[in-house]
C-alpha cells in the first residue's frame, strides 16, 4: 500500500465524535474491603482461562490498579446477560468491558477515562457474500443477548428500508458457532474478539464496520466516588506514558497504543465502508422508484382480482400484521351485514364475540408463522344459528421475507358437516361396545354388530335370519313370547333387565332395550335391540351390598346390619315378650399392638378375636364389628325376665373373656390380649335402639375404669353420673365465661413470718355456693376446659404477685400455682407462660409452678426441656406429693427443681407412725443432699410442726397457720407476725 497518510490520523478522524475525556479531581474515599468483579467470555479483553482464572486486557489493567490501591478483587464468572443482571441487583460491584449508553448510565456508574476504544464489525461465513449494507437483505445476524449492537443495526438498516433478522446468542463464542453451523449468516462482535477468534470458526471480517464505542468498568450504584477516581487517575497517567504498564499489557495481548490504533487494512475497510454507504444511498433511491412502479401494478391487479373474488360465495379477506382487515369480498360483507368501509381497519374482536374472536386470532397466528397454507374448522353464530366454515389461511410475505399480511378463504360447510355428523353418530353407535341387533318386520335378524358377537360368542353369519332371540325375562324362564312383542308393538319400546345366553349356553344378565322403527306410513319396519352385559354391574351391586352390611376385614355384620337385626328382633317379639342382651366388647390396649408391631398385626388379632367370639354364640345370635377394636354381641331371647337374661348374658360374657384372653400367635410371635365387656339387657317391647347402645357403651367404659378384663352390667347410676358430669361441664363453661372463679391463698410460713402462699381455685356457683376444686377439677382435666381454666389461674396469680411486689410489706411473697399435665404437654406452654408474666408485670422469681411426680414421669425429656426454658427466665419449680409416687432418683436429680413438698399423708401420722417419720426424715435429707429447699403441707398441730423442725424442715403450710382464704384476709395476715 503506497498511499501516504498516517493510520492513527485516520482512526482519530473516524472516532473523534465518540470520544469523551473529562478531568475531575476526586478525593480518595473509603472503599469496600472486597471488590466483586464479573467476568464473561470476550477474549482477549476478558475471559476465564483453562485454569479457571480471570484473564485478558481489562483484567490485567484492573489487577495493576487493585495492587496499587490495595484492593482485594474477587472475580465472578458469568454470561454477559447474567453479569448485567447481577450488577443491577448489586450482587457484583464491577463489570469490565461495558459500552457507555444513556440507558446504562441511568442504571450503573461510569468513570470518566475510557479503558479501551473499540468498534463493532460483522463477520461472515465462508459462503456468504457481503460487500455493502444493502447485501444484508434477508441475512440472519447473530447478536449478543442484551447488547446494544442489535438496536444500532436496526436503526442503521432501517435507513435503507431493510429489516434485520436477528438470532440471539448468550456469548460471542456462541454467535460465531451459529454462523459456522449455518444457523446464522453473520455475527456481530467487537473488533477485539473478532480479530482473535474469527479465523478459528472459519469466519472472515466484512467491510461493515459500525458503532465506535468507549469501553469502561461499569460499577453498581452506591460504590464510593473515590473508586471511580482511582480508576481514572491510573488510566489517565498510563495512557499519557508510552512506557507505562498500560502499553505493556496491550503489547502482551498483541495490540497497540492507547487508542488501539487499527492497522492499515482496517483503515481501508473503514474508508471502503464509507464509500459503500454512499453507493447504498443511491441504490435506495433507485429501489424506491421501483417500489412505486410495483405499487401501481399491484393496485391494478387488486382491482381485477376484486371483480373475480366478489363473484364467489366463499368469504375472502386479507388482514395486515396487526390482524386488521385490509380487504373483504362481498360475501363477507353479506355475512356480517356491514359494508366494506365498516369492516376495513377493524379486527375480529370488533366484529365478533370475544370467544370466537380469540379462536380466530389463534388460527391467524398459526398461519402467520407457517411455511404453507393451513386448514381450520371455524363456526360462527349468526341470527341464533351456528354455521360451520372450512377456512384456508396463508401468510403473504413481503419482499424482505417477513410475514406481514394474511389471506383467508372460508367456505360454508354447515350442511355437509351435519350430514357427516349424522352418519358418524350412526356408525359409532352401531359399532360401539354395546351389543346391537337389527330385526326386520318379521323379527328375523338382519344385522348384528361386533359388540353383540363378542358378548354372546355367536358369529354374525350364525345370527342372520334367526327369529328366536337368545333373551329371557327371568333366569330359567321362557323366551320372549307373543304377549311381549304385542307390548313392544303397542308402546314401540321396551326397556328392562333380562337374561341372555351365550353360544356355550352360559346365562348372563343384560340390560335390554328394544325399539320399534316405523316406516313413512307408520308401520313397523324394523326392530333395534340394544344389549348391555351387566354381569360386572351385578357383581358390583352384590359386593356393595356386602360392603354395606358386613365388615370388610372380619366378615362380621357391621353396625348397619346389627341395627337392622335388633329392629327385626324387636318387631318379631312384640306378641311374645322376651329379654335379650347386648354385649359391648372392647379390646384392652389394642393401640399398643398397632403402634409397636404395625397395623397388619392388629388386623390379625382382630380376625382371631372375631373367630373366637363367633364360636361362643348360638346360631341365631349376632356378632358384629362396630368400630376399630369394638365388637357387639346380640343375644336374642336369652330369658323371659331380667334375672334369667342377666344370668345367661353373664355366663356368655365370662366365656368370651376367657377365650379372648387365651394366647395368640401373630406373625410367628406370641401375644396376649384381654377385653372389657359392658352388658345391657333389652326388653324388646319398649327400649329404643339409641338408648340400648348408649347404655352398653356406659357399661363397657365402666369396665375399663374398673381395671379392664372384667364384665360390668349397666346400672342406672352410670347414666346419672354421666348426666351430672355433662351438666357440670356446661356449668364450668358458663363459669369461665361469666367470671365465677376466684383464687384463695393458703399461707406458707417460715419462723414467725409468712413467706408465700399456694394459690387454690374456688368456684362461686350461683346456686350451690362456694365449691372446692376436688369436685370440678377432674371434669375439667378430662375435657379441654383445663387449658383455659389453668391459664386464668396463672394470670390471676401473676396479677396478684405484681400487686404484692408494689407494697413493701408483701414484696417478698412467692406464689405457688398448680399446673396440670394437660397444660404442661401443650406445645406453647413455655411461650404462653412467659407472655402472661410479661403482660402482668409479675416478678418471675417469685412464681413457683407446682408439679406432681406423675406429671414429670410422662414425657420426662420434654418436661425437663420446658422447665429449663422457664427457669432461665427466673421461674422456680416445686415438686408436690413427693414420696407418694415413683420417687425415682434417676429423674429427680435431672429435674431443675427449687423445692420439694412433703405430702400431707406423711405429716398426718408423723407423731404416731414411725414409718411416716422415717419417710419425712429421708425426704428432708434428700432435699438437703440435692440442694433443694423443703416445705411440708397439711401441718395442723404445733406438735407436728415441732417434729418437722426436729427433722430439719423449716417451712410449713396447713390449718395450723390458716386455711385457704380470700386475698384481703391473706393481706391482713401478712402484716402481723404469725401466731398459732
Amino acid at each position: 500500500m503506497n498511499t501516504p497518510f498516517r493510520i492513527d490520523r485516520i482512526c482519530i478522524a473516524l472516532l473523534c465524535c465518540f470520544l469523551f475525556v473529562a478531568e475531575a479531581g476526586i478525593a480518595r474515599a473509603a472503599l469496600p474491603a472486597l471488590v466483586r468483579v464479573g467476568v464473561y467470555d470476550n477474549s482477549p479483553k476478558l475471559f476465564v482461562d483453562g485454569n479457571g482464572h480471570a484473564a485478558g486486557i481489562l483484567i490485567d489493567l484492573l489487577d495493576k490498579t487493585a495492587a496499587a490501591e490495595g484492593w482485594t478483587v474477587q472475580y465472578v464468572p458469568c454470561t454477559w446477560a447474567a453479569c448485567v443482571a447481577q450488577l443491577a441487583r448489586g450482587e457484583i460491584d464491577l463489570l469490565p468491558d461495558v459500552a457507555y449508553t444513556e440507558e446504562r448510565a441511568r442504571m450503573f456508574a461510569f468513570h470518566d477515562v475510557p479503558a479501551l476504544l473499540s468498534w463493532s464489525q460483522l463477520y461472515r461465513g465462508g459462503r456468504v457474500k457481503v460487500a455493502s449494507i444493502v447485501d444484508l437483505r434477508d441475512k440472519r445476524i447473530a447478536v449478543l443477548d442484551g447488547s446494544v449492537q442489535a438496536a444500532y443495526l436496526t436503526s442503521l438498516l432501517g435507513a435503507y428500508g431493510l429489516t434485520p433478522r436477528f438470532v440471539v446468542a448468550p456469548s460471542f463464542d456462541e454467535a460465531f458457532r451459529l454462523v459456522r453451523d449455518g444457523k446464522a449468516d453473520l455475527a456481530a462482535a467487537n473488533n477485539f474478539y473478532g480479530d482473535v477468534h474469527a479465523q478459528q470458526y472459519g469466519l472472515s471480517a466484512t467491510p461493515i464496520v459500525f458503532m465506535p464505542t468507549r469501553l469502561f468498568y461499569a460499577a453498581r450504584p452506591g460504590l464510593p466516588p473515590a473508586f471511580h477516581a482511582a480508576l481514572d487517575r491510573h488510566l489517565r497517567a498510563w495512557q499519557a506514558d508510552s512506557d507505562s504498564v498500560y502499553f505493556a499489557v496491550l503489547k502482551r495481548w498483541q495490540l497497540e497504543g492507547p487508542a488501539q490504533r487499527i492497522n492499515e487494512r482496517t483503515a481501508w475497510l473503514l474508508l471502503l465502508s464509507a464509500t459503500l454507504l454512499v453507493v447504498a444511498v443511491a441504490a435506495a433511491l433507485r429501489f424506491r422508484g421501483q417500489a412505486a412502479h410495483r405499487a401501481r401494478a399491484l393496485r391494478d391487479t387488486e382491482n381485477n382480482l376484486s371483480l373475480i373474488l366478489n363473484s364467489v360465495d366463499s368469504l375472502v379477506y386479507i388482514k395486515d400484521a396487526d390482524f386488521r382487515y385490509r380487504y373483504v369480498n362481498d360475501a363477507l360483507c353479506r355475512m356480517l351485514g356491514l359494508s366494506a368501509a365498516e369492516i376495513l381497519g377493524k379486527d375480529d374482536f370488533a366484529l365478533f364475540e370475544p370467544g370466537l374472536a380469540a379462536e380466530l386470532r389463534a388460527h391467524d397466528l398459526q398461519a402467520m408463522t407457517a411455511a404453507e397454507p393451513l386448514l381450520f374448522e371455524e363456526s360462527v353464530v349468526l341470527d341464533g344459528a351456528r354455521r360451520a366454515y372450512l377456512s384456508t389461511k396463508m401468510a403473504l410475505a413481503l419482499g424482505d421475507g417477513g410475514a406481514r399480511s394474511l389471506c383467508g378463504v372460508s367456505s360454508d360447510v354447515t350442511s355437509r358437516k351435519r350430514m357427516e355428523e349424522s352418519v358418524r353418530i350412526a356408525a359409532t353407535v352401531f359399532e360401539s361396545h354395546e351389543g346391537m341387533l337389527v330385526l326386520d318386520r318379521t323379527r328375523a335378524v338382519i344385522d348384528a354388530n361386533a359388540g353383540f358377537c363378542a358378548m354372546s360368542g355367536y358369529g354374525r353369519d350364525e345370527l342372520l335370519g334367526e327369529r328366536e332371540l337368545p333373551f329371557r325375562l327371568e333366569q330359567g324362564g321362557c323366551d320372549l313370547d307373543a304377549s311381549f312383542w304385542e307390548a313392544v308393538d303397542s308402546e314401540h319400546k321396551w326397556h328392562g333387565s333380562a337374561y341372555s345366553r351365550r353360544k356355550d349356553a352360559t346365562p348372563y344378565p343384560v340390560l335390554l332395550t328394544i325399539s320399534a322403527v316405523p316406516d313413512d306410513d307408520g308401520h313397523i319396519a324394523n326392530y333395534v335391540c340394544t344389549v348391555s352385559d351387566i354381569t360386572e354391574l351385578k357383581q358390583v351391586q352384590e359386593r356393595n351390598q356386602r360392603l354395606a352390611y358386613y365388615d370388610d376385614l372380619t366378615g362380621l355384620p357391621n353396625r348397619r346390619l346389627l341395627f337392622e337385626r335388633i329392629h327385626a328382633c324387636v318387631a318379631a317379639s312384640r306378641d311374645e315378650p322376651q329379654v335379650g342382651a347386648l354385649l359391648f366388647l372392647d379390646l384392652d390396649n389394642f393401640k399398643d399392638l398397632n403402634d409397636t408391631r404395625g397395623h397388619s398385626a392388629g388386623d390379625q388379632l382382630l380376625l382371631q378375636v372375631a373367630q373366637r367370639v363367633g364360636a361362643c354364640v348360638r346360631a341365631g345370635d349376632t356378632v358384629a364389628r362396630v368400630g376399630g377394636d369394638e365388637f357387639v354381641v346380640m343375644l336374642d331371647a336369652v330369658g323371659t325376665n331380667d334375672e334369667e337374661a342377666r344370668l345367661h348374658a353373664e355366663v356368655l360374657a365370662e366365656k368370651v373373656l376367657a377365650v379372648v384372653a387365651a394366647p395368640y400367635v401373630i406373625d410367628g410371635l406370641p401375644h396376649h390380649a384381654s377385653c372389657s365387656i359392658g352388658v345391657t339387657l333389652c326388653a324388646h317391647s319398649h327400649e329404643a335402639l339409641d338408648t340400648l347402645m348408649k347404655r352398653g357403651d356406659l357399661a363397657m367404659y365402666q369396665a375399663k375404669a374398673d381395671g379392664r378384663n372384667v364384665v360390668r352390667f349397666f346400672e342406672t347410676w352410670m347414666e346419672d353420673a354421666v348426666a351430672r358430669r355433662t351438666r357440670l361441664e356446661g356449668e364450668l363453661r358458663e363459669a369461665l365465661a361469666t367470671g365465677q372463679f376466684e383464687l384463695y391463698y393458703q399461707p406458707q410460713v417460715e419462723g414467725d413470718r409468712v413467706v408465700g402462699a399456694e394459690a387454690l381455685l374456688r368456684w362461686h356457683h350461683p346456686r350451690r355456693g362456694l365449691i372446692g376444686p376436688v369436685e370440678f377439677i377432674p371434669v375439667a382435666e378430662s375435657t379441654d376446659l383445663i387449658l383455659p381454666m389453668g391459664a386464668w389461674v396463672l394470670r390471676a396469680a401473676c396479677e396478684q404477685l405484681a400487686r404484692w411486689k408494689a407494697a413493701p410489706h408483701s414484696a417478698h411473697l412467692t406464689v405457688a400455682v398448680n399446673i396440670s399435665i394437660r397444660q404442661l404437654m401443650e406445645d406453647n406452654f413455655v411461650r404462653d407462660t412467659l407472655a402472661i408474666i410479661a403482660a402482668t408485670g409479675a416478678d418471675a422469681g417469685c412464681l413457683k409452678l407446682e408439679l406432681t411426680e406423675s406429671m414429670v414421669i410422662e414425657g420426662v425429656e420434654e418436661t425437663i426441656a420446658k422447665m429449663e426454658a422457664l427457669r432461665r427466665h427466673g421461674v422456680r419449680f416445686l415438686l408436690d406429693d413427693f414420696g407418694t409416687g415413683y420417687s425415682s432418683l434417676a429423674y429427680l436429680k435431672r429435674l431443675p427443681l427449687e423445692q420439694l413438698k412433703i405430702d400431707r399423708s406423711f405429716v398426718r401420722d408423723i407423731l404416731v407412725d414411725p414409718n411416716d417419720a422415717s419417710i419425712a426424715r429421708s425426704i428432708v435429707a434428700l432435699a438437703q443432699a440435692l440442694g433443694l429447699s423443703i416445705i411440708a403441707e397439711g401441718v395442723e398441730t404445733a406438735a407436728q410442726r415441732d417434729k418437722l423442725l426436729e427433722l430439719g424442715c423449716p417451712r410449713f403450710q396447713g390449718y395450723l397457720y390458716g386455711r385457704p382464704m380470700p386475698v384481703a384476709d391473706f393481706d391482713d395476715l401478712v402484716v402481723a407476725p404469725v401466731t398459732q
Side-chain angles (χ1 to χ4, degrees):
M1 184 162 306
N2 54 12
T3 304
F5 59 82
R6 288 179 55 85
I7 296 176
D8 40 347
R9 289 184 179 178
I10 298 174
C11 297
I12 293 172
L14 291 173
L15 304 176
C16 64
C17 63
F18 300 96
L19 299 179
F20 175 75
V21 179
E23 294 285 335
I26 304 175
R28 188 180 297 268
L31 296 174
L34 178 68
V35 181
R36 301 163 298 175
V37 180
V39 180
Y40 67 96
D41 188 15
N42 193 3
S43 63
K45 292 185 286 183
L46 73 165
F47 61 96
V48 177
D49 62 20
N51 297 322
H53 300 141
I57 299 171
L58 295 173
I59 299 302
D60 287 354
L61 294 177
L62 184 58
D63 284 342
K64 297 294 184 181
T65 304
E69 295 293 328
W71 300 340
T72 300
V73 180
Q74 176 187 345
Y75 290 106
V76 181
C78 47
T79 63
W80 162 254
C83 283
V84 172
Q86 292 182 40
L87 186 64
R89 294 193 298 266
E91 296 173 1
I92 58 176
D93 303 300
L94 201 66
L95 180 60
D97 193 30
V98 179
Y100 178 90
T101 65
E102 294 295 335
E103 181 180 0
R104 289 174 180 170
R106 288 191 291 271
M107 298 171 57
F108 311 127
F110 287 83
H111 52 93
D112 294 334
V113 180
L116 288 175
L117 300 178
S118 176
W119 60 85
S120 296
Q121 194 162 356
L122 294 182
Y123 295 84
R124 63 181 178 84
R127 298 182 179 180
V128 178
K129 305 299 182 183
V130 174
S132 67
I133 289 179
V134 294
D135 292 331
L136 298 181
R137 181 186 301 274
D138 299 334
K139 297 297 188 294
R140 299 165 298 172
I141 304 173
V143 295
L144 184 65
D145 185 15
S147 71
V148 297
Q149 294 166 328
Y152 193 95
L153 282 172
T154 299
S155 176
L156 179 62
L157 270 63
Y160 294 89
L162 304 179
T163 301
R165 298 169 61 189
F166 292 128
V167 181
V168 177
S171 64
F172 289 135
D173 178 68
E174 181 62 24
F176 281 12
R177 187 178 290 111
L178 289 171
V179 177
R180 181 195 66 190
D181 296 342
K183 297 179 181 178
D185 301 307
L186 303 105
N190 63 75
N191 65 303
F192 287 98
Y193 188 89
D195 290 347
V196 172
H197 295 283
Q199 289 186 352
Q200 72 184 73
Y201 290 96
L203 275 60
S204 57
T206 70
I208 309 301
V209 178
F210 62 96
M211 202 174 73
T213 306
R214 298 178 295 161
L215 302 178
F216 297 88
Y217 295 93
R220 62 173 173 81
L223 208 61
F227 188 88
H228 310 299
L231 287 172
D232 285 334
R233 185 170 61 255
H234 287 286
L235 289 172
R236 187 178 292 108
W238 288 341
Q239 292 175 7
D241 183 2
S242 60
D243 295 327
S244 66
V245 296
Y246 183 87
F247 292 95
V249 170
L250 294 181
K251 184 175 182 180
R252 174 192 172 194
W253 295 97
Q254 298 180 349
L255 298 172
E256 294 182 32
Q260 295 109 243
R261 300 181 181 90
I262 56 177
N263 55 32
E264 273 188 37
R265 174 177 171 274
T266 304
W268 279 108
L269 289 175
L270 291 174
L271 289 177
L272 180 60
S273 296
T275 303
L276 292 175
L277 289 177
V278 175
V279 174
V281 171
L285 294 176
R286 180 169 61 85
F287 290 157
R288 290 180 181 176
Q290 293 175 350
H293 176 72
R294 291 175 182 174
R296 287 192 297 273
L298 180 61
R299 282 195 297 271
D300 292 341
T301 302
E302 287 180 350
N303 292 333
N304 294 331
L305 185 61
S306 293
L307 294 175
I308 298 172
L309 296 181
N310 284 332
S311 64
V312 300
D313 293 331
S314 296
L315 314 179
V316 183
Y317 46 89
I318 296 176
K319 302 178 183 179
D320 61 15
D322 294 325
F323 303 105
R324 299 182 183 277
Y325 286 94
R326 292 301 177 222
Y327 171 80
V328 293
N329 71 341
D330 289 348
L332 182 57
C333 295
R334 289 194 299 272
M335 184 195 78
L336 294 176
L338 301 172
S339 66
E342 293 174 304
I343 300 174
L344 296 182
K346 297 179 180 178
D347 62 8
D348 292 316
F349 287 93
L351 300 172
F352 301 102
E353 55 91 15
L356 174 60
E359 179 185 358
L360 297 177
R361 176 63 56 83
H363 293 168
D364 292 348
L365 287 169
Q366 293 182 49
M368 274 290 202
T369 57
E372 57 186 15
L374 298 181
L375 280 175
F376 301 98
E377 288 190 10
E378 299 168 339
S379 61
V380 181
V381 177
L382 298 172
D383 298 329
R386 183 173 296 276
R387 309 295 298 178
Y389 288 87
L390 185 64
S391 300
T392 301
K393 299 184 179 183
M394 68 197 81
L396 299 178
L398 298 179
D400 60 359
R404 288 296 178 269
S405 59
L406 182 80
C407 177
V409 178
S410 301
S411 301
D412 191 336
V413 292
T414 305
S415 299
R416 190 183 75 187
K417 288 288 291 183
R418 289 173 181 168
M419 184 180 299
E420 290 175 350
E421 186 70 10
S422 299
V423 173
R424 184 187 67 80
I425 292 174
T428 301
V429 169
F430 190 73
E431 293 304 332
S432 67
H433 68 281
E434 300 288 346
M436 296 191 71
L437 293 174
V438 180
L439 316 180
D440 62 14
R441 65 178 70 247
T442 67
R443 305 186 191 108
V445 177
I446 60 174
D447 202 358
N449 73 345
F452 185 80
C453 293
M455 182 189 307
S456 65
Y458 289 100
R460 180 173 179 273
D461 294 339
E462 296 177 281
L463 294 168
L464 296 180
E466 282 292 326
R467 285 187 171 82
E468 294 185 5
L469 301 183
F471 302 120
R472 295 178 179 179
L473 297 184
E474 300 290 340
Q475 188 173 10
C478 299
D479 292 342
L480 305 181
D481 55 16
S483 62
F484 172 84
W485 288 109
E486 288 176 3
V488 173
D489 292 344
S490 173
E491 301 293 334
H492 280 202
K493 187 174 183 178
W494 185 92
H495 175 79
S497 297
Y499 286 88
S500 184
R501 64 179 180 274
R502 307 187 199 277
K503 186 177 179 180
D504 61 5
T506 304
Y508 62 101
V510 297
L511 186 64
L512 176 63
T513 301
I514 301 179
S515 300
V517 181
D519 58 17
D520 294 340
D521 297 327
H523 301 117
I524 295 177
N526 297 96
Y527 299 90
V528 177
C529 303
T530 303
V531 187
S532 300
D533 185 346
I534 58 173
T535 302
E536 291 186 4
L537 178 60
K538 286 285 187 180
Q539 292 172 347
V540 169
Q541 289 175 343
E542 292 173 0
R543 185 163 59 251
N544 289 343
Q545 181 79 358
R546 181 163 186 81
L547 290 174
Y549 288 99
Y550 291 89
D551 176 52
D552 192 41
L553 174 64
T554 63
L556 296 176
N558 60 13
R559 182 185 295 269
R560 180 177 180 181
L561 182 55
L562 173 69
F563 287 178
E564 290 188 5
R565 288 188 178 179
I566 294 175
H567 279 301
C569 290
V570 170
S573 60
R574 292 189 188 279
D575 297 332
E576 187 177 350
Q578 290 283 340
V579 178
L582 294 176
L583 279 63
F584 286 73
L585 182 153
D586 187 90
L587 295 180
D588 298 328
N589 303 314
F590 178 72
K591 183 176 182 296
D592 294 342
L593 176 64
N594 272 338
D595 292 344
T596 56
R597 297 177 60 180
H599 289 277
S600 175
D603 289 347
Q604 292 180 53
L605 177 62
L606 291 173
L607 279 169
Q608 295 185 45
V609 169
Q611 293 166 1
R612 294 183 183 188
V613 175
C616 294
V617 301
R618 301 169 302 176
D621 297 329
T622 298
V623 179
R625 182 184 176 209
V626 296
D629 61 335
E630 298 177 16
F631 299 83
V632 173
V633 179
M634 185 192 78
L635 303 178
D636 184 34
V638 289
T640 57
N641 55 59
D642 288 356
E643 183 178 355
E644 184 181 356
R646 183 185 181 99
L647 178 62
H648 281 86
E650 186 173 6
V651 170
L652 180 64
E654 293 293 344
K655 182 179 180 181
V656 171
L657 281 182
V659 299
V660 171
Y664 298 85
V665 176
I666 296 177
D667 288 336
L669 298 174
H671 180 75
H672 294 275
S674 64
C675 65
S676 301
I677 300 178
V679 184
T680 181
L681 301 179
C682 49
H684 296 158
S685 58
H686 63 274
E687 266 88 357
L689 178 59
D690 288 344
T691 302
L692 292 173
M693 298 299 289
K694 180 179 66 175
R695 290 177 177 177
D697 274 335
L698 288 175
M700 185 267 292
Y701 287 131
Q702 188 61 44
K704 291 279 188 184
D706 289 346
R708 298 186 173 91
N709 197 27
V710 296
V711 178
R712 291 291 180 267
F713 279 77
F714 170 77
E715 304 292 347
T716 305
W717 63 263
M718 297 178 185
E719 206 163 30
D720 295 340
V722 171
R724 287 196 303 272
R725 184 185 185 89
T726 303
R727 184 171 61 253
L728 184 60
E729 180 182 345
E731 292 175 344
L732 280 175
R733 294 186 186 278
E734 183 181 357
L736 271 174
T738 58
Q740 296 176 15
F741 292 110
E742 180 184 357
L743 280 187
Y744 274 39
Y745 297 89
Q746 186 171 26
Q748 295 175 340
V749 176
E750 185 171 357
D752 61 350
R753 184 182 184 208
V754 176
V755 295
E758 180 179 359
L760 299 168
L761 186 61
R762 295 294 184 268
W763 178 11
H764 289 281
H765 195 282
R767 294 180 300 277
R768 298 166 57 193
L770 193 66
I771 302 176
V774 175
E775 184 172 346
F776 62 84
I777 286 298
V779 175
E781 287 185 335
S782 65
T783 65
D784 60 349
L785 288 173
I786 194 64
L787 297 177
M789 190 179 297
W792 183 90
V793 170
L794 186 59
R795 178 175 291 275
C798 287
E799 289 173 348
Q800 186 57 52
L801 263 182
R803 287 191 288 269
W804 282 339
K805 193 70 175 178
H809 68 278
S810 58
H812 66 285
L813 293 177
T814 63
V815 169
V817 177
N818 291 282
I819 300 299
S820 75
I821 183 65
R822 287 285 304 279
Q823 288 177 273
L824 188 61
M825 290 298 103
E826 282 292 301
D827 293 339
N828 299 328
F829 175 69
V830 174
R831 185 197 66 187
D832 294 345
T833 301
L834 294 176
I836 289 174
I837 293 172
T840 58
D843 183 356
C846 294
L847 175 64
K848 292 182 180 182
L849 299 183
E850 195 163 319
L851 310 176
T852 63
E853 286 187 70
S854 60
M855 291 172 60
V856 295
I857 284 294
E858 183 175 347
V860 62
E861 298 299 335
E862 182 181 355
T863 299
I864 291 174
K866 292 178 179 179
M867 293 172 68
E868 288 286 3
L870 288 172
R871 188 179 70 166
R872 288 194 292 270
H873 289 83
V875 178
R876 293 184 282 177
F877 287 91
L878 165 66
L879 189 62
D880 193 8
D881 301 337
F882 184 73
T884 62
Y886 295 95
S887 302
S888 171
L889 296 179
Y891 71 83
L892 180 62
K893 66 181 182 180
R894 298 177 57 202
L895 296 174
L897 297 172
E898 187 268 339
Q899 191 175 60
L900 293 182
K901 178 180 280 190
I902 301 175
D903 188 69
R904 67 179 68 249
S905 63
F906 303 130
V907 174
R908 182 176 58 249
D909 298 326
I910 195 170
L911 299 176
V912 296
D913 190 337
N915 291 329
D916 287 347
S918 297
I919 292 173
R921 182 182 294 106
S922 299
I923 295 174
V924 171
L926 179 61
Q928 292 172 348
L930 295 176
L932 305 178
S933 63
I934 190 78
I935 186 172
E937 67 176 353
V939 179
E940 299 182 357
T941 67
Q944 291 173 337
R945 177 201 62 195
D946 295 341
K947 182 62 175 179
L948 288 166
L949 280 171
E950 176 187 334
L951 297 177
C953 178
R955 187 170 293 185
F956 313 102
Q957 174 183 340
Y959 289 175
L960 178 63
Y961 300 99
R963 294 175 178 270
M965 60 190 73
V967 67
D969 296 341
F970 183 86
D971 287 341
D972 294 339
L973 184 64
V974 172
V975 175
V978 174
T979 59
Q980 293 82 38

